[in-house]
Amino acid sequence: MSTDNPILNPPPRKHSQGDFSLAEVRLANRNSGICLETLAHDVTPLGMHYLLNHFDIPTVSNANDWHLSIDGAVDNVLDLSMQELRSLPYVEHAVTLECAGNGRAMSTSRWPSMPWLHEAVGTSVWGGTPLRGILDRAGASSDAIEWVFHGADKGVDGGCLHSFGRSLTMMQALAPEVMLVWNMNGQPLLPQHGFPLRLIVPGWYGMASVKWLNRIEAVTETYQGYQQVNTYRFRQDDDDPGEPVTHMRVRSLMVPPGVPDWSSRRRLVEQGVNRIMGRAWSGNGVPIQRVEVGINGVWEDATLRSAQGAWSWTAWDYAWQAAPGEYEISCRATDANGAIQPIDVPWDRAGFGNNAVQKVEAWVVDSFDQV
Ligand SMILES: Nc1nc2c(c(=O)[nH]1)N[C@H]1C(S)=C(S)[C@@H](COP(=O)(O)O)O[C@H]1N2
Ligand SMILES: [Mo]
């Protein structure tokens, strides 16, 4: 293989500022975010959940041809068809997923990757079977320390050709909320969300929830896959060994009030009471304790509505008495551990974990009857 192949011998990646590159726009067209107005739904409508696909979506025309193998350091190697999986105990849970790169494009110095603003989040009712039952059946050998989840999609990142794979420690994988799923909001998974089978790891950033899952492998040494060790680490700079990205950080988003200006997405609002609503969530099953709404930097408490379950976002709302003028509207959540969203973007080399507050620009007018 020639050494000047730019895919296998890529130049070092560089941060950028200002205008988005063609490569960023290309990624943004493949990986959609939610439309913020769908935050009004408890469950994100099917097809409107955000998407993050590193490589190509595998072509799977018949779920009945799919197999999941469970092998490596196990007592019983298993090879399960979708029919066999569907005969296992069925559970459904509403789970909020968020991409670890959500907010990346808000950094002044951007890592060349998917340029998310705020909308890489969604909540679905995932249906399938608890992972634990299957892992117990396979039985990890006494020297096994991790389970590796392999997806069917393959591609290159940082010069490394690999299929998408992630690992969990034995303990993390045995958590009762971790699921193997084939349904999303009562329908079969859509192709882009992992049809016919994926993992869902509630409370974690999305990268842990491996799609197009076809192999679970017990390993006796820590998994060194690209998506485990080369990326998904919080790092200050290139030399920082960093810390693995795991659970979601506390965050909130609002449905922007009023109506949008088509291209800038700034909001035009009619004076009077405007109910601002949104969602807040944190990771690792930690509940939301408080949400505040900031109107030109003056913070007031929003009212929390009940959460749909331990792993799903909490609804909140706030009655804004809007008088004519120009506004910046923000929302900020605090979780039960006291973690609060920062106002400014926290620095991370690859733009992971940016949970800085959302800011919406709005102009309030007397009445829409004038227009
Ligand atoms: N096989 C595979 N699984 C994957 C990915 C991927 O590219 N390939 N992307 C991960 C990332 S980074 C996220 S944020 C979630 C996104 O899930 P969604 O597209 O269903 O929202 O899937 C995760 N699972
Ligand atoms: Mo992600």
Side-chain angles (χ1 to χ4, degrees):
M1 192 84 56
S2 101
T3 51
D4 55 12
N5 176 333
I7 300 168
L8 296 178
N9 294 289
R13 293 210 205 176
K14 287 202 189 88
H15 288 85
S16 68
Q17 293 182 343
D19 291 346
F20 290 93
S21 67
L22 182 62
E24 286 173 306
V25 173
R26 197 183 284 122
L27 285 177
N29 283 336
R30 289 187 53 86
N31 296 292
S32 48
I34 53 162
C35 295
L36 291 175
E37 59 274 29
T38 64
L39 291 166
H41 299 272
D42 288 341
V43 173
T44 308
L46 199 70
M48 300 199 81
H49 192 274
Y50 87 92
L51 267 188
L52 195 292
N53 296 327
H54 286 76
F55 307 133
D56 292 351
I57 299 170
T59 306
V60 183
S61 31
N62 189 349
N64 293 333
D65 298 336
W66 195 261
H67 281 259
L68 172 68
S69 92
I70 299 146
D71 55 37
V74 294
D75 298 335
N76 313 301
V77 171
L78 303 178
D79 178 58
L80 300 171
S81 66
M82 288 305 297
Q83 291 93 315
E84 287 169 298
L85 286 165
R86 285 198 201 94
S87 70
L88 298 173
Y90 184 76
V91 290
E92 285 192 333
H93 290 299
V95 176
T96 298
L97 285 189
E98 182 187 11
C99 182
N102 199 13
R104 172 180 290 123
M106 310 297 286
S107 303
T108 38
S109 187
R110 296 195 309 276
W111 183 243
S113 182
M114 174 61 206
W116 292 118
L117 297 171
H118 293 292
E119 42 291 271
V121 65
T123 296
S124 293
V125 177
W126 302 99
T129 195
L131 174 67
R132 191 180 180 139
I134 291 165
L135 298 185
D136 286 347
R137 251 172 82 187
S141 321
S142 55
D143 55 347
I145 57 168
E146 290 184 355
W147 290 103
V148 185
F149 301 87
H150 297 279
D153 51 330
K154 188 179 245 191
V156 183
D157 194 355
C160 172
L161 176 64
H162 62 281
S163 44
F164 189 93
R166 291 277 313 176
S167 69
L168 294 173
T169 64
M170 293 281 141
M171 253 233 299
Q172 290 162 349
L174 289 176
E177 66 274 11
V178 181
M179 293 187 279
L180 283 184
V181 311
W182 49 89
N183 278 353
M184 188 176 184
N185 300 357
Q187 309 276 336
L189 292 175
L190 295 174
Q192 63 270 36
H193 291 295
F195 178 82
L197 186 70
R198 77 178 296 175
L199 184 69
I200 289 289
V201 188
W204 285 60
Y205 279 117
M207 72 283 153
S209 295
V210 176
K211 304 194 264 194
W212 310 292
L213 183 73
N214 59 11
R215 182 175 180 214
I216 304 177
E217 180 193 7
V219 292
T220 55
E221 316 228 308
T222 56
Y223 176 59
Q224 297 297 309
Y226 189 88
Q227 302 292 335
Q228 191 75 28
V229 297
N230 295 65
T231 180
Y232 296 111
R233 296 186 76 86
F234 290 117
R235 290 183 168 117
Q236 287 300 299
D237 52 50
D238 293 356
D239 303 326
D240 182 359
E243 286 294 322
V245 173
T246 59
H247 302 122
M248 296 183 288
R249 290 180 173 169
V250 63
R251 195 191 189 100
S252 61
L253 288 176
M254 76 182 99
V255 176
V259 298
D261 171 52
W262 151 243
S263 63
S264 70
R265 307 314 291 183
R266 288 173 179 143
R267 311 300 296 189
L268 193 70
V269 176
E270 219 173 4
Q271 73 167 330
V273 180
N274 280 263
R275 182 174 159 270
I276 300 178
M277 72 85 56
R279 306 278 162 177
W281 64 94
S282 191
N284 203 17
V286 179
I288 290 298
Q289 182 171 293
R290 181 181 194 191
V291 174
E292 297 156 281
V293 172
I295 308 286
N296 287 346
V298 180
W299 296 92
E300 285 196 33
D301 279 305
T303 305
L304 299 189
R305 309 290 168 188
S306 60
Q308 286 156 256
W311 307 107
S312 181
W313 54 24
T314 298
W316 56 265
D317 56 35
Y318 173 79
W320 176 33
Q321 302 279 350
E326 186 185 332
Y327 294 90
E328 184 186 78
I329 307 170
S330 305
C331 53
R332 146 174 104 178
T334 306
D335 73 16
N337 288 342
I340 183 168
Q341 289 184 256
I343 304 290
D344 298 319
V345 178
W347 172 250
D348 178 78
R349 165 185 169 272
F352 289 127
N354 172 15
N355 62 340
V357 299
Q358 175 193 14
K359 294 173 184 162
V360 173
E361 290 173 279
W363 274 258
V364 178
V365 294
D366 290 343
S367 161
F368 282 2
D369 294 343
Q370 307 156 327
V371 286

